[in-house]
Structures are given as structure tokens and as C-alpha cells.
Amino acid sequence: MKTFEFRHASSIGDAIDAATTTGAKYLAGGTNLIDLMKGGVEQPSGVIDLRRLGLTSITSTDTGGVFVEAGVTNSALANHPLIRTQYPVLSHAILSGATTQLRNMATAGGNLLQRTRCPYFMQTVFAACNKRDPGSGCAARHGFNREHAIFGASADCVAINPSDMAVALAVLDAVVHVQNETGRRTIPIDRFFVLPGRTPEIDNALDPHDLIIGIELPPSAFAEHSWYLKVRDRHSYAFALVSVAAGLVIEDGVITAAALALGAVAAMPWRLPEAEASLIGKTPTAVTFDTAAQLAMVNAQPLSQNGFKVDLGRHSVVRALTLAAVDRGAEPAPDTSG
Ligand code: SF4
């Protein structure tokens, strides 16, 4: 590992000052950044430890939503009563990721910044990876691409975003609060992640030195009817092959609002507006859900090894919607972790 400077930040301003003047990277739980540094994928000149900033609260907002500070651990977030009762799809998604030990370290802000697990990106022994080394090529496009994108890919990169939490945040229309040396601003979750295009080294809309302060959840419409379905090669400690976050509002037996997003199919959580629109005004039946699922996958463009994701995605949408439609009130999200 390359030698780097380590420092603790004493305040948000101190952290941003240090990042601005030295180019060092922020460090929270370290569950992704440290791995990448050990492998030589990330080689920052310094890291700024954020764990003394105290960004660890989860509070109700004046508008009836919830504000999650960036340093809240995944475990604390998934198990908080407000999240379990009002945003069970978020709790469920987080508990489906990683392991208890990792969730105890990983943070909400860091989760948004985790990088793709494309094996060509993760291992410097592979020369061609535009995300790690811009201009070097994309070994995955015609190589091992079973786990890669079927939506929104480019000639330069076909990687996916690995976050479960982000898929749930997409259907909840979360808003990311960030701060840098010029002030504070918000980024809606649907504009936070960016597709690879010609610049796959860029994962998101953050500016240099932006520090994620927290994540705002608007008032929940889907507390009664939501689900996060994660399909993977083994039941625990595995990234998704396909995942689905689904939220429904059902009034007098009719769907009056719907939100759907796929995970592990693109470089960002993949919202499905046509499928969502098809659900409105319908009764929650197998035919309704199958129609939505057909629409969900209509623009998929699989690679040489991941055509199975199209069928898997279609069936997963039906399954997630079916489970979301079950009225389970404020039942806590199931712990599907290992
Ligand atoms: Fe690199 Fe993206 Fe290609 Fe993977 S898919 S090798 S991350 S450029």
C-alpha cells in the first residue's frame, strides 16, 4: 500500500479545509476505501477520518420526513424504529447487504460512495479498465460480464452500482445534502449517480471536496406496502445479480401510487417510470404486476453473459410487487442477512 497521511477532522469545516488544501480523501467506515487502497486501486496522498464529527443522528424533520446524518452506520439506520416502521423498504435493503460486522462499520454516506465490484476494476493485475485508468479500455465489455449492466452502459464501461441501500433510496425519492468550501446544497437521489458515458471514472454528481452531510427522506408513502427483493448467487454476503425495490399505495383495493427501481442492472438505481405508470388505477393482481414487469425490461440491452438478467429482472419485479402488496402494517423488515 502506498504511504499516506492520516488525520482526524475536528469539524465539518476542518474536514473540508483539509480536503481542499491537500486533496486527501474522506474516510468514514472504511469498508470500501481501505480495501481499494490495499489493492492499489485507490492511492490517495492522505485520508481524513470523519468519525469524530458526530454525524450520527436520525431525526424527524418539520415536513414529516426523516434526516439521516452521513455517519450513521448501516446497522443503526436499518434498525432505527422510524426507519423500520416508516421506511421498511430501506431497512430491508440495508439488512440484505454485506454482513453484520460490515454493517456495524459502514455508514450511510459511505454506502452512497461505494465503488463498483467489477473484477477488472478491483484488481490492478488487469490492465484495461477505464474506470480505474481512463483510456485503458474496458475488459468487461467482451470479457467476464455476467454481473454487469443491462441498462445505461456505454462503450467505455458496463459496470453496475453495487449498493442495496441506494435502490431503496431511489423509490423513496431521497435527497442527499452535501457541503464544500462554497456552502451547502442538495442533490436529489435521481441526479446523484451518473451513467458512465465517456467518463466512467466519475460515479456521481459530487464536486471535488464535497462532503456528504446526510440523507433526507421525504414523508413516507410506502410504509404499508413495500418490499426489497435481492437475488444473488448465495444467500448472504453477496452482491445482487438483480434487486428490486417496490413501493405501492393501495386505497380501496386500487393502486394509487407506485415506485419501482432495479438494482445491479446499471451504474445507478434504475427507476422504471413506464412500469410505475402502468400500475396506477389498477387492482394489485398477477396480471397487473406481469404487465409492469414486461414494461420494466423492454429496453434492456444485455451483454454476452448476462442475458439471464432480463428474465430474472422480470420475474423479480412480479415477486417484489406481489410481496409489497401484502398488507403487513408496521411489521419490521425481515433480517435476511448472514
Ligand atoms: Fe472497468 Fe467499467 Fe469496464 Fe469494469 S466495466 S472493466 S469498471 S471500465
Side-chain angles (χ1 to χ4, degrees):
M1 185 190 292
K2 181 185 161 193
T3 302
F4 60 92
E5 182 184 353
F6 179 89
R7 61 172 289 166
H8 294 287
S10 58
S11 67
I12 290 172
D14 179 43
I16 293 169
D17 279 349
T20 305
T21 55
T22 70
K25 279 190 167 281
Y26 300 123
L27 174 73
T31 56
N32 188 211
L33 178 60
I34 299 299
D35 279 352
L36 294 173
M37 289 171 67
K38 286 178 181 173
V41 177
E42 296 267 13
Q43 300 189 43
S45 60
V47 296
I48 305 161
D49 185 5
L50 305 174
R51 284 174 293 183
R52 295 182 180 174
L53 299 188
L55 291 171
T56 56
S57 71
I58 299 173
T59 52
S60 298
T61 65
D62 293 342
T63 56
V66 167
F67 190 80
V68 179
E69 289 192 319
V72 171
T73 65
N74 285 5
S75 294
L77 180 56
N79 292 308
H80 194 280
L82 277 173
I83 304 303
R84 288 176 74 92
T85 57
Q86 298 303 306
Y87 306 92
V89 67
L90 178 56
S91 181
H92 194 174
I94 293 170
L95 290 174
S96 74
T99 64
T100 302
Q101 292 88 343
L102 283 165
R103 293 193 296 271
N104 287 343
M105 288 297 294
T107 65
N111 195 317
L112 289 173
L113 300 181
Q114 65 175 303
R115 308 210 69 190
T116 186
R117 264 56 173 200
C118 172
Y120 302 106
F121 172 78
M122 296 284 289
Q123 299 175 56
T124 55
V125 66
F126 297 114
C129 174
N130 287 321
K131 187 179 282 294
R132 174 166 42 78
D133 182 12
S136 62
C138 174
R141 174 158 274 282
H142 301 293
F144 177 79
N145 54 40
R146 173 178 179 268
E147 297 165 3
H148 290 66
I150 58 172
F151 292 104
S154 74
D156 289 348
C157 182
V158 294
I160 59 161
N161 183 297
S163 174
D164 295 296
M165 183 188 82
V167 188
L169 293 180
V171 299
L172 296 171
D173 291 322
V175 177
V176 183
H177 290 236
V178 304
Q179 185 171 329
N180 65 19
E181 64 272 24
T182 65
R184 191 160 165 167
R185 71 188 195 286
T186 57
I187 307 172
I189 194 73
D190 63 352
R191 283 186 244 147
F192 184 82
F193 300 102
V194 296
L195 293 176
R198 301 304 312 273
T199 54
E201 69 275 18
I202 299 172
D203 291 347
N204 54 56
L206 293 180
D207 289 332
H209 321 136
D210 272 347
L211 176 64
I212 297 177
I213 302 299
I215 301 167
E216 181 183 349
L217 302 173
S220 173
F222 306 126
E224 301 293 325
H225 294 287
S226 66
W227 198 258
Y228 185 74
L229 180 73
K230 180 174 181 177
V231 183
R232 44 191 160 170
D233 281 328
R234 60 173 185 265
H235 184 65
S236 73
Y237 195 33
F239 292 99
L241 292 169
V242 167
S243 69
V244 184
L248 298 171
V249 177
I250 302 173
E251 297 174 304
D252 299 326
V254 175
I255 299 168
T256 58
L260 269 176
L262 293 171
V265 297
M268 59 173 61
W270 199 254
R271 280 291 291 262
L272 301 162
E274 293 86 4
E276 292 170 6
S278 78
L279 294 163
I280 306 303
K282 305 288 189 349
T283 54
T285 64
V287 172
T288 299
F289 296 156
D290 189 59
T291 300
Q294 300 284 348
L295 287 167
M297 308 309 293
V298 77
N299 293 318
Q301 293 186 304
L303 302 163
S304 58
Q305 296 177 351
N306 68 2
F308 72 96
K309 283 194 176 189
V310 180
D311 278 344
L312 187 60
R314 187 162 48 240
H315 292 302
S316 297
V317 168
V318 172
R319 181 78 176 146
L321 286 168
T322 303
L323 290 166
V326 174
D327 190 354
R328 59 183 57 82
E331 175 186 316
D335 184 346
T336 58
S337 62

